[in-house]
Amino acid sequence: MSNREVRVRFAPSPTGALHIGGVRTALYNYLFAKKMGGKMLLRIEDTDQTRFVSGAEDYIKDTLAWVGITLDEDPWQGGPNAPYRQSERKPMYMEYAKKLVNEGNAYYAFDTSEELEDMRKRLEAAKVASPAYNSITRNTMKNSLTLPEDEVNAKLAAGEPYVIRLKVPRKDEIRLNDMIRGWVMVHSSAIDDKVLMKSDGMPTYHLANVVDDYLMGISHVIRGEEWLPSAPLHVLLYKFLGWEEAMPQFAHLPLILKPDGNGKLSKRDADTHGFPVFPIKWIDDNGKQVLSFKEEGYLPDALVNFLAFLGWNPGTAQEIFSLQELIEAFSIERIGKSGTKFDIHKAKWFNQQYLRSKSDQELASYLIDSLRHKGIDCDQERAEKICALMKERVTFPKDFGEEALYFFQAPSSYDEQVVANKWNEESVEVVKSFAIELSKLSTVSAEEAKSTLHHLLEQKGIKIGKVMQALRVAITGHAAGPDLMHIIEIIGNVETTNRLNTAANTISIKSVNI
Ligand code: GLU
């Protein structure tokens, strides 16, 4: 099997918005396929019609497009294994279920829901820990193993509702060699006789998943750890269907945990902690828009980089990886076994790094856009200058508009802490004199502003550290920000002078300590 063509699949069920864990599964499949020169396909697993959510399929498609995961075969562009929606493949599964029945590895079961409920109650009363339809209890139920053959045939001919169940052997050890976890061994007594075909003629997930992986030539199944308990059952199916040779290799990805490591990350965590767990915009059942990475201002390459590290590491100190670099560095061997904590601060850090690495020209468009929403016009050149100055300080594109407002509007309030601690006779004197000096100039560059200030302070014998914050608060209203001299250059000497004078005239001196 070693020189088998690599073919992986992402097989989401359209039961709601794709969670960030699903995006990671898709990404790891993609990275592996590309690394190995293989193919990746997408299959929609929609056999459970009761859980179908409209819009979920488009959501999957739009998300993958946004993060840059391209597919070789899928329901939208088609491919040699079409159709790629299990609901459209419905007629294909019965043949395999029947084969299993004919070879004694599955059976028809005619039990009504009341009869199943009675069995559960009986077993509970007998203190059976986990009541199940299995190698022992099947003998007391209404199925083709207990009923005479002619009665079974009569029921089938009469169109009585039935399901087809897998006949799990009573004593067998099922082994699989997971690429991440190593050997996994499960005794067959721990597996119940799972339904393979439902009474509506639809296969269940287990049968459809195995049949499709086989028919689609899947070589590696890379999926979340929550599917590990199903894997032994799938191994049994491969064996019974005579496909052991073609069985894919399994790799079950570690869980993504809550930030405190206490349990699996859930949709509810998004609300509790105020961070997104969904990739793009989605309106939930209550008509509420959920938090999403795209709408919060995360860049797709930053999100991809962050997700790549949620369970995998390159074994070096390098953290910033483009998609192409991830493909080159990726290997299943470097995926960890244990759950990995979801750390939104790390996601923000990646976003900062990616934002920072963009050109001032690109960043300027973020600023211009967000200012436009506030009714403020700004030309490209000025926007680029502002972005160059701000880019070390922003996490999201929208921050440019919010943090850069003082370049366009004089402060309407002043940082209280700075006023309380740094606004005094001495600093106000410098604020006033600096205004006078600046007003003498026709234009001002950052350099000129700096030398003017230094000259003034030298004359007065005052250290810059004592007055810097007062000057900043007078000009911007804030306690911190990028280099003040560059801010002055962008605002211009007339506006800076006005702001210094306004501050000197309106802020009263509260502090006496110099
Ligand atoms: N349809 C399953 C899901 O929703 C796929 C599991 C698998 O990859 O086998 O995640």
Side-chain angles (χ1 to χ4, degrees), residues 64-91:
L64 298 186
W66 180 58
V67 297
I69 294 179
T70 52
L71 300 158
D72 298 294
E73 300 166 33
D74 61 43
W76 313 296
Q77 64 176 315
N81 297 284
Y84 292 90
R85 276 182 206 94
Q86 288 182 329
S87 56
E88 293 167 16
R89 301 171 67 80
K90 185 175 170 185

Side-chain angles (χ1 to χ4, degrees), residues 370-382:
S370 71
L371 287 172
R372 193 172 297 136
H373 283 118
K374 295 183 163 69
I376 302 170
D377 271 338
C378 174
D379 63 53
Q380 178 73 17
E381 194 188 332
R382 191 158 190 233

Side-chain angles (χ1 to χ4, degrees), residues 27-185:
L27 176 65
Y28 283 20
N29 273 285
Y30 174 80
L31 296 177
F32 182 68
K34 293 285 156 196
K35 166 91 187 216
M36 306 303 286
K39 296 238 158 62
M40 171 171 176
L41 62 88
L42 183 140
R43 184 173 71 227
I44 295 286
E45 301 210 324
D46 56 351
T47 54
D48 191 350
Q49 296 287 309
T50 59
R51 295 183 62 215
F52 180 83
V53 171
S54 93
E57 190 182 303
D58 282 342
Y59 189 86
I60 293 163
K61 187 180 171 198
D62 296 345
T63 297
L64 298 186
W66 180 58
V67 297
I69 294 179
T70 52
L71 300 158
D72 298 294
E73 300 166 33
D74 61 43
W76 313 296
Q77 64 176 315
N81 297 284
Y84 292 90
R85 276 182 206 94
Q86 288 182 329
S87 56
E88 293 167 16
R89 301 171 67 80
K90 185 175 170 185
M92 302 169 74
Y93 304 106
M94 190 51 113
E95 171 193 345
Y96 301 99
K98 289 229 168 105
K99 176 175 154 75
L100 291 168
V101 174
N102 293 342
E103 291 173 8
N105 292 314
Y107 57 90
Y108 296 104
F110 302 95
D111 315 274
T112 61
S113 39
E114 292 77 39
E115 285 162 342
L116 291 171
E117 184 56 19
D118 283 350
M119 171 182 90
R120 199 181 53 80
K121 285 192 187 138
R122 241 183 6 255
L123 294 172
E124 267 171 12
K127 303 257 178 295
V128 173
S130 33
Y133 204 119
N134 57 21
S135 58
I136 298 173
T137 55
R138 67 166 84 109
N139 300 317
T140 63
M141 303 302 287
K142 236 164 60 192
N143 54 51
S144 57
L145 301 174
T146 57
L147 299 173
E149 199 179 329
D150 51 353
E151 198 180 328
V152 171
N153 290 337
K155 280 182 182 297
L156 292 177
E160 247 190 59
Y162 67 84
V163 298
I164 295 181
R165 287 181 180 271
L166 183 68
K167 191 178 166 211
V168 177
R170 178 130 184 223
K171 286 186 191 151
D172 194 4
E173 187 149 77
I174 304 155
R175 293 149 50 91
L176 75 112
N177 195 1
D178 187 272
M179 292 174 81
I180 297 171
R181 273 141 232 284
W183 282 103
V184 176
M185 247 102 61

